[in-house]
């Protein structure tokens, strides 16, 4: 795990250690990044560890509602939180990698945060309380986007926290604008200002948008 924390060539998210051979393997993927995809199987004698340290802050995070249940135990509890959005903001800015939260289900204006989500609870026995009116908000993915504007086109550089799946690709990804895929969670889209196939529209002088 110490090697994973010190890794500088890539963002190390997990490590695997085989006691019999002393082999240590580092990976840029963890269970959250692999959510919805196969990739994990039992391996006797192998310890699998994940990093839960806070990395680069994301500019946009999307959550999915899971109705009817909340976690029995969490990592942090906040009281007198004014709204669900404020609770989500606490999750986005938590001092650990927050992957789920619930709000107003265990008391008025109570916000609870957890580093767990459904994909990391498969080995935990009965982790949820089932309450019909309750809702758990699970992190789906976070995105960091930067735009490079040039004289004839613009390039959107996008980094996501989960492996890119075709169903989650933007509409422009199905067009000739899709130029570069540097990694399953890092990609770039170059869009010419005059190319309507890429879905680019002019909103005014020097102002262009894409769906």
């Amino acid at each position: 795990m110490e090697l994973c924390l010190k890794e500088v060539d890539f963002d190390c998210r997990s490590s695997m250690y085989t006691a019999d051979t002393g082999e240590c393997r580092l990976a840029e993927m963890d269970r959250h990044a692999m959510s919805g995809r196969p990739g994990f199987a039992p391996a006797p004698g192998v310890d699998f560890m994940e990093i839960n340290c806070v990395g680069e802050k994301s500019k946009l995070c999307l959550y999915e509602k899971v109705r009817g249940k909340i976690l029995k135990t969490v990592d942090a509890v906040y009281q007198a939180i004014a709204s669900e959005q404020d609770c989500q903001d606490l999750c986005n800015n938590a001092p650990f990698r927050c992957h789920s939260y619930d709000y107003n289900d265990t008391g008025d204006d109570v916000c609870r945060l957890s580093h767990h989500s459904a994909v990391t609870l498969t080995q935990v026995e009965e982790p949820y309380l089932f309450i019909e009116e309750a809702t758990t908000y699970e992190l789906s993915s976070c995105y960091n986007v930067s735009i490079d504007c040039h004289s004839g086109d613009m390039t959107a550089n996008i980094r996501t926290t989960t492996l890119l799946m075709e169903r989650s690709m933007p509409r422009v990804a199905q067009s000739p604008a899709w130029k570069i895929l540097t990694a399953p969670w890092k990609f770039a889209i170059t869009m010419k200002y005059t190319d309507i196939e890429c879905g680019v529209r002019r909103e005014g002088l020097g102002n262009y948008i894409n769906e």
Side-chain angles (χ1 to χ4, degrees), residues 5-208:
L5 290 169
K6 292 181 178 179
E7 180 59 51
V8 295
D9 292 332
F10 63 92
D11 293 331
C12 184
R13 296 184 178 183
S14 65
S15 61
M16 291 165 282
Y17 178 71
T18 305
D20 290 344
T21 63
E23 181 186 42
C24 176
R25 302 176 65 184
L26 308 181
E28 196 170 358
M29 294 173 289
D30 59 11
R31 288 174 293 176
H32 295 288
M34 294 289 293
S35 178
R37 290 171 176 257
F40 291 92
V46 177
D47 291 324
F48 175 75
M49 296 163 282
E50 291 177 331
I51 295 291
N52 196 40
C53 301
V54 175
E56 179 185 5
K57 293 295 183 182
S58 297
K59 296 180 180 179
L60 172 65
C61 291
L62 305 178
Y63 290 81
E64 294 182 356
K65 292 183 179 181
V66 181
R67 300 189 184 279
K69 60 183 181 181
I70 56 174
L71 286 170
K72 291 180 179 178
T73 59
V74 294
D75 296 292
V77 178
Y78 297 89
Q79 297 181 342
I81 304 303
S83 67
E84 182 267 318
Q85 183 59 57
D86 288 342
C87 186
Q88 183 181 126
D89 291 341
L90 288 172
C91 188
N92 289 338
N93 296 285
F96 57 90
R97 292 178 62 196
C98 178
H99 286 95
S100 68
Y101 68 91
D102 59 69
Y103 176 70
N104 238 18
D105 291 319
T106 59
D108 291 342
D109 303 329
V110 174
C111 171
R112 306 192 312 153
L113 313 181
S114 176
H115 73 282
H116 277 303
S117 67
V119 297
T120 59
L121 289 167
T122 55
Q123 295 179 325
V124 179
E125 185 177 352
E126 298 182 356
Y128 291 105
L129 289 172
F130 293 93
I131 305 173
E132 185 176 354
E133 300 83 7
T135 300
T136 294
Y137 298 83
E138 289 197 350
L139 181 64
S140 174
S141 187
C142 288
Y143 300 87
N144 278 322
V145 182
S146 63
I147 305 293
D148 296 328
C149 296
H150 312 110
S151 60
D153 59 47
M154 58 182 172
T155 298
N157 303 293
I158 304 168
R159 180 184 178 89
T160 179
T161 56
T162 54
L163 289 178
L164 190 65
M165 302 178 69
E166 184 176 353
R167 64 181 174 82
S168 63
M169 291 181 182
R171 187 171 66 89
V172 70
Q174 311 302 326
S175 75
W178 183 262
K179 291 279 187 177
I180 307 169
L181 182 59
T182 58
W185 45 83
K186 292 184 284 188
F187 58 98
I189 306 171
T190 298
M191 298 160 281
K192 293 183 178 180
Y193 300 133
T194 57
D195 192 347
I196 60 175
E197 291 186 22
C198 288
V200 178
R201 300 200 316 270
R202 180 177 178 179
E203 289 275 291
L205 183 63
N207 186 13
Y208 296 85

